[in-house]
Amino acid sequence: MKGKFITVEGTEGVGKTTNIQCIAQWLDERGIAYIATREPGGTALGEKIRDLLLDKDNTGMAASAELLLMFAARAQHLEEKIIPALEAGTWVLCDRFTDATYAYQGFGRGLNLEHIERLETLVQGDLHPDFTLILDIDPELGMSRARTRGELDRFESEAIEFFHRVRAGYRERASDNPSRYCRVDAAAPLAVVQQHIVAALNTFVGEG
Ligand code: TMP
């Protein structure tokens, strides 16, 4: 793989969109070719699966069905978009990836982490992100921000305890593998958050 694979994670209302723009600007300034994409979604089929996953009317969705839909969308995304880009030397900037599955379906829903790991191997082989930004925020603050964006989707409608478990999952993964993850306090002023992100990216490419 010649391109680098960057992912951005965090609970709701953490400021992913704004900080993805910051990473995009950093890539533009270096003249690095990249695509920006998201999960669940990123392909025509993946976006249809996303609609199923986020639709609040799907109240009875089994946690295991949710897990498999996440990986179904991911399998399509990898084959159709992510792997071809990386092989062509294009970087991939992805709004969420498999860390979200560990955090939401594993820690949040309580599904067996070893089952997730097996699906990860099945769908991804040994392909993993090279750099993962984890935007960390108290879910109470994040949800108060998310609520201002309009109607809540199926995940956003979960109780606050769910997001506390998701956050704990992200934190645990980040501390288990500090070389891949950069965890940033997303409650800090935006300029501070972005300084931290740029410094971590510079270190990632050996300029730090
Ligand atoms: P987004 O709106 O932040 O793009 O994400 C959509 C929702 O999907 C968000 O609540 C997190 C959830 N999600 C999972 O539960 N598992 C996953 O593997 C992914 C990629 C997202």
Side-chain angles (χ1 to χ4, degrees):
M1 297 285 172
K2 290 174 284 173
K4 297 286 180 203
F5 186 15
I6 296 180
T7 57
V8 178
E9 301 279 357
T11 47
E12 332 302 299
V14 83
K16 277 190 293 117
T17 308
T18 313
N19 290 303
I20 284 172
Q21 281 163 10
C22 166
I23 299 176
Q25 192 183 336
W26 180 90
L27 290 164
D28 286 335
E29 282 166 8
R30 275 158 190 74
I32 295 172
Y34 68 95
I35 56 164
T37 186
R38 69 171 179 182
E39 291 215 345
T43 64
L45 178 62
E47 291 293 328
K48 286 186 185 167
I49 297 174
R50 178 187 178 90
D51 289 344
L52 290 173
L53 283 161
L54 299 195
D55 185 350
K56 255 195 351 248
D57 292 341
N58 289 332
T59 46
M61 189 183 292
S64 54
E66 182 180 286
L67 172 69
L68 292 167
L69 285 171
M70 290 295 175
F71 273 109
R74 184 161 301 136
Q76 187 68 28
H77 198 197
L78 282 161
E79 181 170 317
E80 194 178 317
K81 207 161 169 182
I82 296 176
I83 292 174
L86 294 174
E87 283 180 346
T90 302
W91 289 35
V92 174
L93 173 54
C94 194
D95 182 341
R96 299 193 185 280
F97 195 64
T98 306
D99 287 298
T101 312
Y102 281 100
Y104 282 77
Q105 282 67 52
F107 289 79
R109 301 272 188 237
L111 292 180
N112 186 319
L113 298 178
E114 283 171 19
H115 293 169
I116 298 177
E117 216 174 311
R118 269 190 244 151
L119 289 168
E120 181 182 33
T121 305
L122 175 75
V123 169
Q124 295 167 222
D126 57 7
L127 177 66
H128 300 285
D130 298 296
F131 177 94
T132 297
L133 172 65
I134 295 192
L135 294 162
D136 182 55
I137 204 165
D138 179 349
E140 309 271 354
L141 178 56
M143 278 315 295
S144 69
R145 289 184 185 173
R147 271 187 218 105
T148 64
R149 292 194 300 231
E151 219 190 312
L152 300 180
D153 65 32
R154 198 172 62 84
F155 287 99
E156 291 165 340
S157 308
E158 286 294 330
I160 200 75
E161 294 72 32
F162 176 80
F163 298 105
H164 282 292
R165 292 195 296 275
V166 172
R167 181 193 196 193
Y170 276 132
R171 291 170 77 114
E172 189 174 313
R173 287 181 66 74
S175 58
D176 284 351
N177 187 356
S179 62
R180 165 150 82 89
Y181 296 95
C182 164
R183 180 163 70 85
V184 175
D185 173 12
L190 187 60
V192 175
V193 171
Q194 299 202 337
Q195 257 172 16
H196 196 146
I197 293 172
V198 166
L201 286 169
N202 288 341
T203 304
F204 171 61
V205 294
E207 291 173 13

